[in-house]
Amino acid sequence: METEYYKFGPYKIDPKEVFYSTDLSYAMVNLRPVVPGNCSLLNLRRNAAKCHILFDLCMYISSVGELCDGPEAGQTVAHVHIHILPRKSGDFEKNDEIYDAIDEKENELKQKLDLDKERKDRSLDEMAEEAAEYRKLFS
């Protein structure tokens, strides 16, 4: 898909960061990857309608590259699954405090797995280089 830029919520994503796209979805490299190969899959639509498209894209991207799966990926149950975080009004004093709670749990996990690596923003050139390498896998 040729576009001036992709939308990700309020953000404009440079096409150089995108390594695969369809009429309804796209895959992009991350600004702050946790591990090599960390990428994001997005619907071109901003809402959850047709979210099955993301699962289709996930299966395709995972089948071409190395799927992060199993204990090394933090998977504690050897079965494909999705985590859902049910929310209700007032469950946190400030809505974004859920991220602090997630970070706390992630820090506990990092201590157990010794994954305490610094994540830093990458330049557009660095992300474009990675996306170009991934594009080769899908052409």
Side-chain angles (χ1 to χ4, degrees):
M1 170 180 210
E2 288 298 319
T3 184
E4 187 177 322
Y5 62 86
Y6 291 83
K7 290 287 290 176
F8 177 37
Y11 304 104
K12 293 180 178 180
I13 303 300
D14 191 301
K16 294 176 188 172
E17 300 171 58
V18 174
F19 62 89
Y20 186 82
S21 66
T22 70
D23 291 339
L24 299 171
S25 60
Y26 64 99
M28 62 178 276
V29 298
N30 281 5
L31 178 64
R32 292 185 201 135
V34 176
V35 294
N38 186 189
C39 61
S40 294
L41 311 177
L42 300 101
N43 247 348
L44 285 172
R45 295 194 173 107
R46 295 173 71 145
N47 58 28
K50 300 195 180 244
C51 64
H52 66 279
I53 292 163
L54 288 180
F55 290 101
D56 292 343
L57 181 61
C58 179
M59 295 305 295
Y60 178 64
I61 297 296
S62 298
S63 71
V64 174
E66 288 187 31
L67 174 62
C68 287
D69 198 10
E72 296 82 7
Q75 183 180 9
T76 57
V77 178
H79 195 109
V80 173
H81 62 284
I82 297 168
H83 289 251
I84 295 175
L85 300 171
R87 300 290 311 275
K88 61 181 179 181
S89 182
D91 58 356
F92 289 89
E93 186 174 334
K94 294 180 182 172
N95 192 48
D96 285 350
E97 287 177 350
I98 190 169
Y99 299 112
D100 296 332
I102 292 170
D103 287 344
E104 185 179 320
K105 293 296 182 186
E106 185 177 310
N107 286 335
E108 289 173 14
L109 181 63
K110 282 181 182 180
Q111 288 175 0
K112 288 180 184 176
L113 299 176
D114 195 27
L115 298 175
D116 199 17
K117 296 180 181 176
E118 274 297 310
R119 290 173 42 197
K120 297 178 182 170
D121 288 0
R122 299 186 296 167
S123 69
L124 177 58
D125 288 341
E126 290 171 312
M127 292 188 297
E129 183 178 326
E130 180 181 21
E133 288 300 313
Y134 293 163
R135 269 187 224 107
K136 293 175 189 174
L137 297 171
F138 298 96
S139 55

